[in-house]
Amino acid sequence: EAAVTQSPRSKVAVTGGKVTLSCHQTNNHDYMYWYRQDTGHGLRLIHYSYVADSTEKGDIPDGYKASRPSQENFSLILELASLSQTAVYFCASSDGTGGAGDQDTQYFGPGTRLLVL
Amino acid sequence: AQSVTQPDARVTVSEGASLQLRCKYSSSVTPYLFWYVQYPRQGLQLLLKYYSGDPVVQGVNGFEAEFSKSNSSFHLRKASVHWSDSAVYFCAVRGGGYKVVFGSGTRLLVSP
């Protein structure tokens, strides 16, 4: 069974503070993703990575940095947290991006609820 | 570029009734299509996916979806819903690249 874990599960941060969200996968997957979920917007891609030590910008990267120090770990960093970054953040992993097998399936973590005050 | 529209933000059905959740997609290439489900305070889980071939694909827990190229749709169906099906359902599309685009979701409430 594929497994993606996230920490913390919830966090309250102050405006202007630094926040780090962590993600760990035991799937041996190459691809990892960070999404944010806001009511009425579904999931929006912030950053992704397809190999360790490399990250790519998604659709809404402003205000976020990402770090992939190993295949298993992928972090999302908010250097200066803002009120608008209050959301639920999901990490996901996948084996690849193509093919008719399981490569395309994204496995999601349980999410981190971030409240910025 | 790809996009997904789920026109119904909320759907309420009675337990035992049939269900259809609507999804319209836009893609410049042949799309890969997905339905994911999110139970309360959990991450998304894959229900089913379509790549090619038979336009009706079967998923877990009795769900199925039908791909229609002419209508640019990928509607999700279930013959008889159970209270445990109450959740948020997301339609998603992937074109030729890496990115999967998710719809805004449909919240399903199954009433007793």
Side-chain angles (χ1 to χ4, degrees), chain A residues 1-2 4 6 35-37 42-44 88-93 105-111, chain B residues 6 34-47 87-92 100-106:
Chain A
E1 181 76 20
V4 179
Q6 295 181 232
Y35 294 93
R36 67 176 280 172
Q37 183 179 38
L43 274 71
R44 292 182 289 177
V88 180
Y89 291 85
F90 286 99
C91 177
S93 74
T105 301
Q106 293 193 19
Y107 292 87
F108 285 81
Chain B
Q6 294 181 248
F34 310 83
W35 276 100
Y36 282 83
V37 60
Q38 183 182 27
Y39 297 106
R41 297 198 172 264
Q42 295 186 27
L44 280 69
Q45 304 170 34
L46 182 71
L47 272 181
V88 182
Y89 292 80
F90 292 93
C91 182
V100 175
V101 175
F102 289 83
S104 55
T106 297

Side-chain angles (χ1 to χ4, degrees), chain A residues 2-9 21-27 32-34 72-75 89-93 107-112:
Chain A
V4 179
T5 56
Q6 295 181 232
S7 62
R9 292 295 310 276
L21 307 182
S22 299
C23 178
H24 179 79
Q25 54 109 349
T26 59
N27 307 327
M32 295 187 75
Y33 312 84
W34 275 108
E72 299 81 15
N73 296 294
F74 191 36
S75 297
Y89 291 85
F90 286 99
C91 177
S93 74
Y107 292 87
F108 285 81
T112 295

Side-chain angles (χ1 to χ4, degrees), chain B residues 2-55:
Chain B
Q2 295 78 239
S3 67
V4 175
T5 301
Q6 294 181 248
D8 304 309
R10 295 174 183 268
V11 170
T12 301
V13 296
S14 299
E15 190 167 23
S18 63
L19 169 72
Q20 176 172 278
L21 301 182
R22 297 184 291 165
C23 173
K24 299 277 284 186
Y25 70 89
S26 174
S27 177
S28 56
V29 299
T30 300
Y32 294 163
L33 295 158
F34 310 83
W35 276 100
Y36 282 83
V37 60
Q38 183 182 27
Y39 297 106
R41 297 198 172 264
Q42 295 186 27
L44 280 69
Q45 304 170 34
L46 182 71
L47 272 181
L48 49 79
K49 56 188 174 183
Y50 172 80
Y51 291 119
S52 64
D54 188 338

Side-chain angles (χ1 to χ4, degrees), chain A residues 76-93:
Chain A
L76 185 68
I77 303 147
L78 290 65
E79 295 277 5
L80 295 170
S82 67
L83 296 175
S84 64
Q85 293 177 311
T86 292
V88 180
Y89 291 85
F90 286 99
C91 177
S93 74

Side-chain angles (χ1 to χ4, degrees), chain A:
Chain A
E1 181 76 20
V4 179
T5 56
Q6 295 181 232
S7 62
R9 292 295 310 276
S10 65
K11 184 172 180 64
V12 179
V14 296
T15 304
K18 182 177 181 179
V19 177
T20 300
L21 307 182
S22 299
C23 178
H24 179 79
Q25 54 109 349
T26 59
N27 307 327
N28 199 33
H29 286 167
D30 287 330
Y31 284 78
M32 295 187 75
Y33 312 84
W34 275 108
Y35 294 93
R36 67 176 280 172
Q37 183 179 38
D38 301 276
T39 303
H41 286 278
L43 274 71
R44 292 182 289 177
L45 182 65
I46 306 170
H47 285 287
Y48 71 101
S49 168
Y50 53 85
V51 67
D53 294 323
S54 178
T55 64
E56 305 292 335
K57 293 180 179 179
D59 295 327
I60 54 165
D62 293 346
Y64 302 94
K65 291 184 180 179
S67 173
R68 182 97 182 265
S70 63
Q71 187 191 40
E72 299 81 15
N73 296 294
F74 191 36
S75 297
L76 185 68
I77 303 147
L78 290 65
E79 295 277 5
L80 295 170
S82 67
L83 296 175
S84 64
Q85 293 177 311
T86 292
V88 180
Y89 291 85
F90 286 99
C91 177
S93 74
S94 70
D95 196 18
T97 62
D102 196 42
Q103 286 184 318
D104 241 347
T105 301
Q106 293 193 19
Y107 292 87
F108 285 81
T112 295
R113 291 182 175 272
L114 175 64
L115 175 62
V116 182
L117 300 175

